[in-house]
Amino acid sequence: MRVLVTGGAGFIGSHVVEALAGGGHEPVVLDVRGPAGEDVRNPEAVGRALRGVDAVCHQAAMVGLGNGVADAAEYVSHNDLGTAVLLTAMARAGVRRLVLAGSMVVYGEGRYECAAHGVVRPGPRAVPDLDAGRFEPVCPECGRELLPGLVGEDAPADPRNVYATTKLAQEHLAAAWARSTGGSAVSLRYHNVYGPRMPRDTPYAGVASFFRSALARGEAPRVFEDGGQRRDFVHVRDVAAANVAALEADTARGVLTAYNTGSGEPHTVGEMARSLAAAHGGPDPVVTGEYRLGDVRHITADSARLRADLGWTPRVAFEAGVREFARA
């Protein structure tokens, strides 16, 4: 299969390209960082790239929490306009298979259960609580402490920042394209992807990259809040393998199918910082109590649907992946 990988020179995209080639497919790269500097928002460039293509793996995006709403127009331009241009060109070219780099950020907070009221959805955390170091969401009904759990694909979307909003819009656009063309659309809702080639020294990188960059400078990783935030850290090679599995699968047509893509093993942000520091040889992390308003407290995945439907299994254990990343 000849597969166009948008963002194929980037962190995740480059691993997808390698996984496709290793699986006997022919990857074609469209990336603003490539030799031709071709942007997915450019209809002519996208049209050229789609010639002879059987499927598209759409990785190109502006990622990370960013700077509040100051860069909202850039996020919408890169993520939503870029996706719209791509889907329009795919419809014209007759390409009917799409795998989208989705994100767990569309859920907002994860799954929570109250001992008295069952499964509940707490609202956005209040600034006075965050300023006072009260980071855990409480039951919106009774104010009690909540037990975090794994979020499934059927959870309602509740994006809490600009990036999350654009990722949800990408899914809606892909769903509209699938209905209109009868195409197959899959969104892999990535959890916290880490590993070699992760971008460094940018406000748009992930938390693992922030920690790794600090260690490379000989500085202590700075852990926000109290370090107890639960995340699902999934290795980039496992994510690349999930993309190949989704491209090869006989998925439903005319609809968008979403799959959580995570390791299934929650770890705290503090644990990631400590593990990276230990593997790198220090210095030890510093817990700052600072926070970012757009962050959520706990978000971890239930990836059982992806395993059952596509036969995908993550293979890189947390400890081994962190050791590799610490030395990358």
Side-chain angles (χ1 to χ4, degrees), residues 68-88:
V69 296
D71 41 19
E74 290 182 77
Y75 271 106
V76 172
S77 176
H78 283 275
N79 297 355
D80 299 337
L81 175 60
T83 299
V85 169
L86 173 66
L87 294 174
T88 300

Side-chain angles (χ1 to χ4, degrees), residues 118-145:
V119 176
V120 297
R121 290 191 62 79
R125 296 183 292 173
V127 169
D129 287 336
L130 295 170
D131 285 341
R134 295 188 293 269
F135 301 120
E136 293 288 346
V138 296
C139 177
E141 302 292 334
C142 64
R144 291 186 186 182
E145 185 176 331

